[in-house]
Amino acid sequence: MLYFSDLLQYSDVFFSGLKTTVELTVLTTILGVALGTVCATVRQYGNRAGQSVVSVYVELIRNTPFIVQLFFIFFGLPAIGMMLSPWQASMIALTINLGAYSTEIIRAGLASISKGQVEAAKVLGLNFRQTLTRVIFIPAFEKIYPALTSQCIIVMLGSAVISQISVQDLTYAANLVQSRNFRAFESYLVTALLYLGLSILLRFAFNALGKRLFAYRTSN
């Protein structure tokens, strides 16, 4: 027999966990994409030393498990005097992880911009910063926007492991509830549905944001 009614008294626990997951997702999406944009720009247009540093960062993060990265930041860094709370460690780990993956996605967008457009910007007297912001970034981000937003959602789903360092996110809430009422099936089914709903809502939100950001295209 299934007793979903037994979960009602823990609705505040699920809501608190969902709130933490959403907050971390929003913050790390902003910071991770910003980090990825800087690294992609360096990798595409920077000097050889900068490109090498970014390449090492990207390869290191993309070829190691996220949970190892999380444990290194939370359990490893205190050994050299860097004490972080579980929330801070999770935020840093998620940002670094998303930054590495978004670097390659954004770099692909930057590489898709033709040299003719860049040369035309130089002819018009635009400096490098103006060329990036007015000529390169907008069409580049429009091309990679679906892939970038999908990666943000993947990172949100992957954040479930932060409960391993006692961050009170949605997965932590599920573990707590099932340990109290022993309704593992009901607890994890509800949690899975909440993650599914959050993923769908994020997809709608990203789509709406994309329409606003790139509205100039449809108006032309």
Side-chain angles (χ1 to χ4, degrees):
M1 295 290 292
L2 301 180
Y3 295 95
F4 288 97
S5 59
D6 291 349
L7 303 183
L8 292 177
Q9 60 181 313
Y10 299 104
S11 58
D12 57 331
V13 178
F14 281 110
F15 178 78
S16 178
L18 181 63
K19 181 173 177 289
T20 299
T21 296
V22 171
E23 289 174 347
L24 274 171
T25 298
V26 172
L27 180 59
T28 56
T29 294
I30 295 171
L31 296 177
V33 172
L35 176 60
T37 301
V38 172
C39 291
T41 303
V42 171
R43 195 163 188 181
Q44 184 67 22
Y45 302 109
N47 57 36
R48 183 170 297 179
Q51 291 175 345
S52 298
V53 171
V54 172
S55 296
V56 171
Y57 157 61
V58 170
E59 293 303 317
L60 176 64
I61 298 302
R62 293 181 66 187
N63 291 287
T64 54
F66 173 68
I67 195 168
V68 174
Q69 300 164 19
L70 178 66
F71 283 178
F72 174 79
I73 292 172
F74 185 65
F75 295 113
L77 292 185
I80 58 173
M82 296 182 63
M83 304 297 295
L84 298 170
S85 69
W87 196 93
Q88 290 171 332
S90 299
M91 184 271 292
I92 293 172
L94 288 168
T95 297
I96 291 174
N97 187 269
L98 177 57
Y101 282 93
S102 62
T103 293
E104 285 302 283
I105 295 172
I106 296 170
R107 186 176 71 89
L110 298 179
S112 70
I113 304 302
S114 66
K115 293 182 179 180
Q117 288 180 264
V118 178
E119 292 172 355
K122 291 181 180 179
V123 171
L124 293 173
L126 299 181
N127 57 35
F128 180 67
R129 181 183 62 81
Q130 292 172 325
T131 301
L132 281 177
T133 56
R134 301 182 183 183
V135 177
I136 297 176
F137 276 162
I138 293 178
F141 270 88
E142 184 179 18
K143 291 180 179 180
I144 53 88
Y145 189 75
L148 184 61
T149 54
S150 293
Q151 185 60 47
C152 292
I153 293 174
I154 290 172
V155 169
M156 181 276 293
L157 295 174
S159 71
V161 301
I162 65 177
S163 62
Q164 297 296 311
I165 60 171
S166 298
V167 177
Q168 298 180 12
D169 70 330
L170 189 52
T171 302
Y172 180 93
N175 292 334
L176 178 63
V177 170
Q178 72 87 24
S179 70
R180 291 181 176 178
N181 62 11
F182 304 104
R183 296 293 178 186
F185 181 88
E186 294 91 332
S187 298
Y188 290 118
L189 178 59
V190 168
T191 302
L193 292 175
L194 288 172
Y195 273 115
L196 175 61
L198 183 56
S199 298
I200 294 172
L201 287 175
L202 281 174
R203 183 74 64 187
F204 277 115
F206 281 132
N207 288 343
L209 178 61
K211 290 179 181 179
R212 292 182 62 88
L213 290 174
F214 309 117
Y216 77 101
R217 291 287 187 179
T218 58
S219 62
N220 290 338

